[in-house]
Amino acid sequence: RESSDTPNAWPNVYDHLNDLPASLREHFERARQRDGELPEQDREEAHAMWTSFLAQTEDEAELGKKVLKSIHYESAPPEVQKALQETRQKEWSKFEDFGAVVALTPEQAQELIDEGHQCIPSKWVDVDKAEYKKGRDPDYKPLCKSRLVSRGNFEVTEGLRSDSPTADVEMHCLVCSWAACHQADIHSADITSAYFQGRPLDRVLLMRQPRGGLPGVEPNVLFLVRVPVYGITDSGRGFWLRLDADARKSGLKASQFFPGLYYLPGEQGGDACALMCTHVDDLLYSFLPEGEEVMKSFLAKFSVGSSDTNSFRYCGKQFVRGDDKVIKVDTADNTRKIHGADVGSRLGSERLQQGDITKLRSITGSLAWISRQTRPDLGYRVSRLQSSIKDATVSTLADANAVVVLAHKGHDVALCFPAAHLQWSEVGVITVTDASFSNEKNYKSQQGRIHFLGDLKEIKDDKTTTYKVMPLSFGSTTIKRVCRSTLQAETYSLQNGLETGDKLRGVIAEIKGKIRSLKTWEDNARECIPHLAMTDCRSLSDHLNQEVLAKVSDKRLGIELQGIHENLWQEGRPTWIAFENGGDKLIWIATSTMVSDCLTKSMKPDLLLRVLKECHYTVQKQK
């Protein structure tokens, strides 16, 4: 090691233990001393294992942009250090502008420490956002960014809540459906430095300066943390508490079915005139003229960095409302970034090494995200990949590459929401479920579901065979329980689909102002929103559409059937007839018109893609 007086010493002489609390520093110093007493051979072996662990095994050209590495300031070139000084100054200016921390005098700091309050370290996290271009782009220039982060991992967090609700994917579709029905614009907003605008901390927390200090601040000054700064355990929750409180004060109501969704009731608590989804500091919303003033006043309470209308990215998805007033949501950009892995000439039965498994997990994770957001046609194949990782072979990697090819071929697939396609005052829920019996590993069965928003009159008319629809939700998963028959697999799939469909019906009724009490929400929603379920298992539909449910030998199956039957029948009458504009009904449709078929087995998803594009679903019913 070079002398500490040597300028630009390499390796850097700074001891990384200096930022730690005294007790932890002493612990690590004792550990260092014990390591120094080990034989040279043991130390070299341990060093080799650690170096191997840190080694990068992924090919950047294949996996694209990787997680950014922190820049070591002291060993960085002078030009990079100069750029980092500017970005650090910019970051510290945000702290000052929002009053995120308060400088303490030495006496004040010592008094609080003597009272037993915690003092945690902080650090600079410096990255080059253009690092992935280095060595590949001749025009590469560093794009530095700095963030001052508190070391919240040293804080005692017992009793602290860190949860902060975010809106589900289904709510993104619901906002788009609502906007399309009302022919309204869709908007997005990004709240800048969101954590600094969170609710002030309700505890005393002190923070030391990072190594190298802060611009224009005396080196020994300690800070009192006023708001949830970056790195604290409950930073995300602190911002959500502020956003939630301000939303309620503005007149918005939080959904009791889907956290992260807010709606503005209309006159006298009637149908909503504005909807808003939250994902930390990103907002997706739409409003009618009567809700515009409330939404603007709510946003005015925050410092909004950017806001867009009818064309923007939100949560990694592209939202566009074109000249034809059709709202389209796609993940085309994310799909293009997914690349397969090199299989080579290896045998298909060969077990994968750790590096290949890492690649497989990366590919599968990327595919799972796009399939969950906008690509239900990939749902089954991705589900099968996820269940194959544990015992993955070269064939599994080849299967993943095949799914990547399919994803690229259909990169332009989008969820469509045509304007005025449906009237919001007259909507219902359509649930289509299917199952494949004992087709998966260990005799497991696969279940698939898709939910649409449909027209109330068409849903209630038994003669309707073509429905106007807009997508709300979809999924493909393995049934955890081993099924003994097709009837059992179809029943479990139907039960899973109906539960999701009922929850969607509940939030629609809530937005309409029809939920009188959370204790009776199922009955309240059933009275005003129809729920039409479709299956291609005739024995299941015949069984459930009987007034008196026949007994089955499997007790567990009998319980599931009884639960479904109680939604279809009440006091000897079908709920479909009991409620003029509501109720539940199960019908049989031909397998050739089963839109969920491709969610349970490997097959061409042509029908599903056509329905998503045209927003019309034609079925063949039981005669």
Side-chain angles (χ1 to χ4, degrees), residues 272-313:
C273 57
L275 289 186
M276 179 178 71
C277 283
T278 65
H279 190 92
V280 192
D281 57 348
D282 294 320
L283 308 179
L284 172 69
Y285 59 98
S286 181
F287 52 80
L288 302 180
E290 52 266 38
E292 182 176 2
E293 183 177 349
V294 173
M295 291 303 302
K296 286 185 176 180
S297 65
F298 165 72
L299 292 173
K301 298 180 179 181
F302 298 90
S303 175
V304 178
S306 62
S307 59
D308 298 284
T309 300
N310 291 337
S311 181
F312 51 83
R313 285 181 66 83

Side-chain angles (χ1 to χ4, degrees), residues 124-189:
W124 284 110
V125 177
D126 304 308
V127 297
D128 176 9
K129 298 183 69 175
E131 179 190 11
Y132 67 100
K133 297 181 181 179
K134 192 174 183 179
R136 290 187 285 173
D137 189 344
D139 298 326
Y140 159 75
K141 291 182 179 180
L143 181 60
C144 297
K145 180 177 180 180
S146 299
R147 176 158 287 179
L148 179 59
V149 179
S150 66
R151 302 293 298 275
N153 54 309
F154 290 113
E155 182 187 8
V156 177
T157 59
E158 184 178 358
L160 287 180
R161 292 184 60 181
S162 60
D163 55 301
S164 52
T166 57
D168 293 341
V169 177
E170 288 81 357
M171 294 304 96
H172 300 172
C173 293
L174 184 63
V175 170
C176 291
S177 298
W178 186 88
C181 290
H182 290 93
Q183 303 185 56
D185 294 330
I186 53 173
H187 309 266
S188 75

Side-chain angles (χ1 to χ4, degrees), residues 220-235:
N220 296 325
V221 172
L222 297 182
F223 295 95
L224 174 68
V225 181
R226 193 182 68 83
V227 295
V229 298
Y230 305 112
I232 295 179
T233 302
D234 56 345
S235 295

Side-chain angles (χ1 to χ4, degrees), residues 9-239:
W10 180 261
N12 185 263
V13 299
Y14 183 85
D15 193 327
H16 291 277
L17 299 184
N18 291 351
D19 280 340
L20 300 181
S23 58
L24 281 175
R25 187 164 60 247
E26 293 173 0
H27 168 77
F28 286 122
E29 286 173 350
R30 290 194 298 270
R32 280 182 174 180
Q33 184 177 358
R34 289 195 301 270
D35 291 343
E37 297 172 356
L38 293 174
E40 182 68 21
Q41 183 178 354
D42 291 348
R43 291 202 302 271
E44 290 181 356
E45 181 180 352
H47 182 268
M49 292 177 64
W50 177 245
T51 304
S52 176
F53 171 74
L54 293 179
Q56 298 293 330
T57 59
E58 298 177 344
D59 186 348
E60 289 190 12
E62 292 182 356
L63 296 182
K65 189 174 179 180
K66 298 175 61 176
V67 176
L68 299 178
K69 301 176 184 176
S70 296
I71 300 174
H72 191 257
Y73 178 84
E74 285 78 7
S75 60
E79 62 273 15
V80 175
Q81 288 186 353
K82 183 179 179 180
L84 291 177
Q85 290 172 4
E86 296 176 357
T87 57
R88 287 183 174 186
Q89 176 64 62
K90 183 178 180 181
E91 174 71 2
W92 176 239
S93 297
K94 293 180 181 179
F95 273 73
E96 294 179 315
D97 293 342
F98 288 98
V101 294
V102 178
L104 300 174
T105 64
E107 295 77 15
Q108 291 173 330
Q110 190 59 49
E111 181 181 353
L112 291 173
I113 292 174
D114 292 341
E115 291 177 0
H117 296 296
Q118 291 180 279
C119 184
I120 61 176
S122 63
K123 63 178 292 187
W124 284 110
V125 177
D126 304 308
V127 297
D128 176 9
K129 298 183 69 175
E131 179 190 11
Y132 67 100
K133 297 181 181 179
K134 192 174 183 179
R136 290 187 285 173
D137 189 344
D139 298 326
Y140 159 75
K141 291 182 179 180
L143 181 60
C144 297
K145 180 177 180 180
S146 299
R147 176 158 287 179
L148 179 59
V149 179
S150 66
R151 302 293 298 275
N153 54 309
F154 290 113
E155 182 187 8
V156 177
T157 59
E158 184 178 358
L160 287 180
R161 292 184 60 181
S162 60
D163 55 301
S164 52
T166 57
D168 293 341
V169 177
E170 288 81 357
M171 294 304 96
H172 300 172
C173 293
L174 184 63
V175 170
C176 291
S177 298
W178 186 88
C181 290
H182 290 93
Q183 303 185 56
D185 294 330
I186 53 173
H187 309 266
S188 75
D190 174 32
I191 299 177
T192 184
S193 302
Y195 287 177
F196 295 163
Q197 302 185 59
R199 176 180 289 185
L201 292 184
D202 55 1
R203 64 187 185 280
V204 176
L205 182 63
L206 307 181
M207 185 179 77
R208 291 200 295 271
Q209 295 185 47
R211 176 172 36 144
L214 296 170
V217 181
E218 291 295 327
N220 296 325
V221 172
L222 297 182
F223 295 95
L224 174 68
V225 181
R226 193 182 68 83
V227 295
V229 298
Y230 305 112
I232 295 179
T233 302
D234 56 345
S235 295
R237 180 168 178 81
F239 171 71

